[in-house]
Every structure is written in C-alpha cells, then in structure tokens.
Amino acid sequence: MRNHSNPFTSLDYQLEMRLDHAHGALTGQAYLDSLDDNREVWLDGQRVRVTEHQAYAGLRNEMARLYDLQHSDALREQMTVAVPDASYRISHSYTLPQDDAQLDAKWANSHLWMQNSWGQLPRVPDFMANVVVGLHDYQAELAKVDPQFGANAAHYHAYCARHDLSITHAIGDPQIDRSSGPAESADLALRVIKETPEGVVIRGAKQLATMSPFAHEVLIYMSPTFAMRERPEFVIWCALPMQAPGLRIMCREALARPENSFSHPFASRYDEQDAMLFFDDVFVPRNRIFLLRDSKTAFEGFRRLNAWSLYVGQIRFYHRMRTTLAVAAMVSDSIGVSSFREVQGKLGELTTYVEMARLALLGMQQERSRTAGGLLAPGSTLGPDTFAAQFGTRASEILRELGASGLLMQPSEADLATPELRPLLERYMRGKDIDVDRKSRLFRMAWDLTCDSYGMRQELYERWNRGDLARNRIALFNQFDRSEIGQRILDEISVPAPLPAGRELHAAPIQLDRPLRAAANDIAPALAAHMNPPLSPAIEGNQHEQ
C-alpha cells in the first residue's frame, strides 16, 4: 500500500503545487519514498508498482545512489546551493544563472551527474530540470498570451526546484499516420476537449516519454515538428503529476535481465525506460497550464525552453564518448592488438569524437549570452547536436569492430564460479595481462554498450532524441551567417581574372552597376574563347575516353 504519511505523495498537494512541505535536494531514500503513489504503470500487460517490480530495481537503486551524491561531504557544495529564505539547499540543476559563476557552477553539477552515470542516462533529472529553467526564462512570452501562463511557469520552477523533482517530457505525437495530421484525424495528437474556468480536459497520447515510471511529473509541450497546428485545440503546454487520474503509462519491454548471471553492468542499472502516455480525459488545473492555442509561441518557444537542457545533452554525449573510448582501448589491450596500426587508427578516430565533443562544450561556453528573459545561456547546440546524431552510431561500430567475436562469447558469473569450468576458463579465456574474470566483465560491458538491446536502444536514442537529423541540418544551414564570405566571393567573381602579359581580352568592360548575370552574359563568349582555344584533331578525338 502507498505510504500515506508522506504529504508530497498526496495528489491534492501535487495538483496545487504547494511549497509548505518542500525539502530541497532529495536524498536517495526520499526519492524512493516519493515514488510510492497511485501512478498507473503498465508493463507487459500487467499493472505494476515501480517501487516493487524487479525489472525496475536496478535503475531505482541507481537513481537513489545518484541523489545521495548531493548530500555527500565531497560533492554537496558542487551539486547544491543554499536558498536564502529556507533552511535547505536545492540542486544546481534548477539554478537560474544570472552570471558567469552561476552558469559555471551549473555545468560543473551537470558534469557530476553525467560522469557518475557514465553518460548512460539521457534523462537524468538534471536534463529536465534545465527545461524547467527554460520555461521560467520564457515566462514573459507566455504572459503575453495570458498573464496567468507566465505566473504559472515561474511558480512551476519554484515548485520543482524546492522539491527536487525528476521530470519526464512528452513532446511527440503517436506514430500512427505521418502522412496525415490531427485536422483530419483527432487521435493523431493530444488535444483539449473541454475548457472551464478551473482548467481543461485533455485526451490523446504522447510518445516517447523517457524515464516516465521513475519521474514525479510530466511536462507536456511540443517539438518544432508538431508545434504549428492547424487547429488551436491541439496546442497545449502543461504539467501533470504522474499519478494524475486518467493518465496511463505503458512501458516498453524492460531491458534489464535479472533472470540469469550473465553480466549486464549498464543495462542492469541504466535502463531508464520509455513509455507511451495515454491521457484518458485527464483534467489539468488552470494553475498547471503554460500555453493554450498559440502555435506561434509554441514553435518559437522550443529552443528557448531547451537552451540549457540541450547543452546538458552535449555534456552527457561527451561522457558517453569517454566511456566508449576507454572501454575500446581496454578491450584492445586485453587481446593484445593495441599496437596494430589499424586498431590505433580506430582508437584515434574515437578520440577525435571525444575531443570534438569537449571542444564543442568549450566553444558553446565561450559564446554564452544573455537571453530575452535575462538569464545567461550557452551558445547554440545545433551544430554539436547534428554531429552527435551522426557519429554516436559510428563510435559503437568501432567498438564492435575491435571486440569482434569476443563480444559474443564470454562466460557468465555462474560459469566463472563452476569448478568444472574454471580451469578451462583460466587457460583459454583469459587475456593479455588480464585474468578471465576481469576480461569477461570488460567484454560484457562492451556488449552492453554496442550489441545488447540496451546498446541498440542507446544508439536509437542518440540518433533521434534531438529531432529529425535532416531538419536540424537544414536549420543549421539556414541559420549560418554566410553574408561576409558570400560578399567577398561575389566581389572576387565580379571582375575578370588578370591576363598573362601581352594578352588582351577583346570584350566590352563589365558594367558593375548592372546586375551580375547580365554582365556575365556580355563577357561569356570572349572569355570562353580565351580560356578554351580550339583543340588539335588528335586531342579532340580523345575527349570521350578522357
């Protein structure tokens, strides 16, 4: 049964977004206790309790460990900050950076979250906390639509920060028929079906909500792909507790496998789960609505909301690449191929990706600027995001090439403990300067990263979590300022190239005050005759072969 002694797990407390029982930065046990509510989570056809089901034990415990880091003597000052009007501290994840020192402290905290989870948790709480920072920063624009929307955004940030909430987001439409739209079929998108002075009722579905079973809240907004709706009832930004009545969470297959002793060091701890969210006529109170009907504000707001979170995503990618490189190097050492030229080339390629990610982080820090909301934000992540989507898969491919068949054939923990097998394993499955126990666990780690269903999920996530790659490339091209270099090229091609001494070009001079195309048409015949003199018959006859 649910623990009724915890005020925070009360649905009324959550819907009202009260602050009277706020506690600041969570401990691991407080996090676990906070999940003990009435959320409706479905796994493999059965309704399950997140706090009890064995499939969720690994990430449950890992999340608790990560939250406890905030209270460790070594990291408390780096991960949390004092609140002037309270006796508790809050996570730097929710810091509203006003100056360089606050922004640097914020990123130091993000690095600690990602480093301590090996870059394997894309939806680590630090990520969505920074989306809420973006929501707070965008409040003035939301207030132009409705003053209450702006006030709601500011209060939501305070509510999340003071309770140290873990949040998922739901921004994509269900994958039914991408050739159609919600104007033709209402089930293709989440929509408002009723509005009253107290709030709205929403119906529909959202995919893909990562970390849903382990989150306290879902923040609903819209990616640029889906923001420009044809009908206003399909435009809504809001937030709900995961236990909101009518909200059903259907999880994908769990990737952790506790049923055998084959080692899965990452899958067993970092399967953060993805889910479909079904909104079966869910009531959203007015105080939890941030935007209604205004598709232009929704479209323009996506980048503003994610100005900090996308940088956090790049920090995670950097730590994921560091992990992949280190495992690849150790795998190569363990089988004695590190000195091979081809292997060194592949390890060098991996190192290139790590360095590109590191330098991109530094560059975006250098380009920090003040937002329209008054906060300090990093430079655009659009270029690095496109880079990560392209090369994350290549990094996994390199590790698969280096590990080769060894990734498939490694003993389980039970095999290692079996007396009949142990002498054979020590003799035939050891590595170079590494015993069979450590070698097998190392290769199982590589398997998790690149071959197991967990690794494939991570690759798929890396490819698509930042949105459609082609769309991002187009946006990057359209935003890139080519005006200065374009003008220099135009100046360069607006006059003829110098002729050799003694050669004259018999053509009318270019009229620089006329359109360039017309001038080019005037000079083209003479220029062609000069640049392409008649070929000798012998050369002319060989043009097709050449």
Side-chain angles (χ1 to χ4, degrees), residues 9 16 23 30 41 48-49 66-67 134 183 190 200 202 207 280 286 319-320 352 361 364 458-459 472 483 494 527 544:
T9 60
E16 294 168 13
H23 42 59
V41 179
V48 300
R49 295 195 67 78
L66 291 169
Y67 273 117
L190 185 70
V200 299
I202 57 176
Q207 78 173 58
D280 190 10
R286 182 68 59 178
H319 285 284
R320 182 190 170 213
T352 301
L361 290 173
M364 288 182 287
Q458 298 295 81
E459 275 195 35
N472 290 343
S483 57
S494 295
L527 185 60
H544 180 71

Side-chain angles (χ1 to χ4, degrees), residues 110-316:
S110 297
H111 274 285
L112 287 170
W113 277 98
M114 298 309 178
Q115 180 181 349
N116 281 282
S117 55
W118 307 88
Q120 299 301 304
L121 273 183
R123 282 298 170 270
V124 72
D126 182 61
F127 178 88
M128 282 303 300
N130 278 286
V131 176
V132 176
V133 169
L135 182 68
H136 182 283
D137 185 61
Y138 199 52
Q139 63 177 287
E141 300 305 314
L142 301 174
K144 292 177 183 178
V145 181
D146 185 324
Q148 186 175 355
F149 294 162
N152 290 349
H155 183 71
Y156 188 68
H157 173 269
Y159 172 69
C160 293
R162 290 173 180 259
H163 290 87
D164 201 14
L165 298 188
S166 173
I167 304 169
T168 185
H169 66 173
I171 62 176
D173 292 344
Q175 201 176 46
I176 300 174
D177 181 1
R178 291 292 195 244
S179 67
S180 185
E184 290 77 41
S185 176
D187 287 341
L188 295 183
L190 185 70
R191 65 195 184 278
V192 175
I193 62 168
K194 182 180 179 181
E195 183 173 0
T196 70
E198 290 73 35
V200 299
V201 177
I202 57 176
R203 179 186 297 168
K206 282 286 188 178
Q207 78 173 58
L208 191 63
T210 300
M211 193 70 91
S212 290
F214 306 96
H216 301 108
E217 295 260 330
V218 55
L219 179 60
I220 299 164
Y221 57 111
M222 308 165 82
S223 76
T225 302
F226 304 114
M228 299 301 289
R229 300 297 196 194
E230 296 176 2
R231 285 162 41 184
E233 65 266 31
F234 292 98
V235 179
I236 180 170
W237 286 9
C238 63
L240 285 165
M242 297 309 295
Q243 64 169 333
L247 172 57
R248 292 187 173 92
I249 307 161
M250 188 190 77
C251 300
R252 59 156 169 78
E253 177 185 3
L255 304 180
R257 297 194 176 92
E259 69 275 5
N260 61 52
S261 72
F262 283 98
S263 172
H264 290 278
F266 288 147
S268 63
R269 289 184 289 163
Y270 298 116
D271 179 19
E272 58 187 355
Q273 260 297 346
D274 307 291
M276 286 288 297
L277 301 185
F278 301 111
F279 300 84
D280 190 10
D281 294 1
V282 177
F283 175 70
V284 184
R286 182 68 59 178
N287 67 315
R288 282 177 161 270
I289 300 172
F290 312 120
L291 184 65
L292 281 177
R293 295 180 287 273
D294 193 317
S295 59
K296 181 175 182 292
T297 302
F299 180 81
E300 294 175 350
F302 181 81
R303 283 284 163 187
R304 287 283 300 277
L305 260 64
N306 287 278
W308 293 269
S309 65
L310 289 174
Y311 188 86
V312 171
Q314 283 299 318
I315 292 176
R316 180 203 56 79

Side-chain angles (χ1 to χ4, degrees), residues 486-523:
Q487 184 59 53
R488 287 173 56 202
I489 292 172
L490 187 62
D491 293 343
E492 186 71 17
I493 64 176
S494 295
V495 295
L499 298 177
R503 300 285 294 274
E504 293 184 2
L505 185 62
H506 301 289
I510 295 177
Q511 302 298 315
L512 294 180
D513 58 338
R514 296 168 59 196
L516 181 61
R517 185 180 300 276
N521 288 339
D522 289 344
I523 198 172

Side-chain angles (χ1 to χ4, degrees), residues 278-442:
F278 301 111
F279 300 84
D280 190 10
D281 294 1
V282 177
F283 175 70
V284 184
R286 182 68 59 178
N287 67 315
R288 282 177 161 270
I289 300 172
F290 312 120
L291 184 65
L292 281 177
R293 295 180 287 273
D294 193 317
S295 59
K296 181 175 182 292
T297 302
F299 180 81
E300 294 175 350
F302 181 81
R303 283 284 163 187
R304 287 283 300 277
L305 260 64
N306 287 278
W308 293 269
S309 65
L310 289 174
Y311 188 86
V312 171
Q314 283 299 318
I315 292 176
R316 180 203 56 79
F317 178 72
Y318 167 65
H319 285 284
R320 182 190 170 213
M321 289 297 98
R322 286 183 67 220
T323 299
T324 303
L325 171 60
V327 171
M330 294 176 72
V331 162
S332 301
D333 288 339
S334 73
I335 55 176
V337 299
S338 296
S339 62
F340 294 3
R341 179 180 175 85
E342 181 182 356
V343 170
Q344 289 183 343
K346 290 176 179 177
L347 292 173
E349 183 180 344
L350 269 179
T351 308
T352 301
Y353 302 148
V354 174
E355 275 294 276
M356 291 293 288
R358 184 183 70 84
L359 294 171
L361 290 173
L362 293 174
M364 288 182 287
Q365 286 186 43
Q366 185 66 29
E367 292 190 351
R368 62 184 63 182
S369 62
R370 194 72 57 183
T371 68
L375 299 181
L376 203 58
S380 171
T381 66
L382 194 53
D385 284 346
T386 305
F387 167 81
Q390 291 177 248
F391 291 104
T393 299
R394 174 57 183 156
S396 298
E397 181 182 21
I398 291 173
L399 182 48
R400 283 193 291 269
E401 291 172 355
L402 296 174
S405 61
L407 297 175
L408 287 168
M409 191 63 251
Q410 293 298 326
S412 69
E413 292 296 324
D415 292 330
L416 292 169
T418 300
E420 293 86 349
L421 292 175
R422 184 70 195 194
L424 298 172
L425 301 180
E426 289 178 347
R427 184 173 183 179
Y428 296 115
M429 300 199 75
R430 60 185 171 84
K432 180 183 178 182
D433 301 325
I434 188 171
D435 59 58
V436 63
D437 302 77
R438 289 182 297 155
K439 180 192 173 188
S440 65
R441 291 166 192 151
L442 173 64

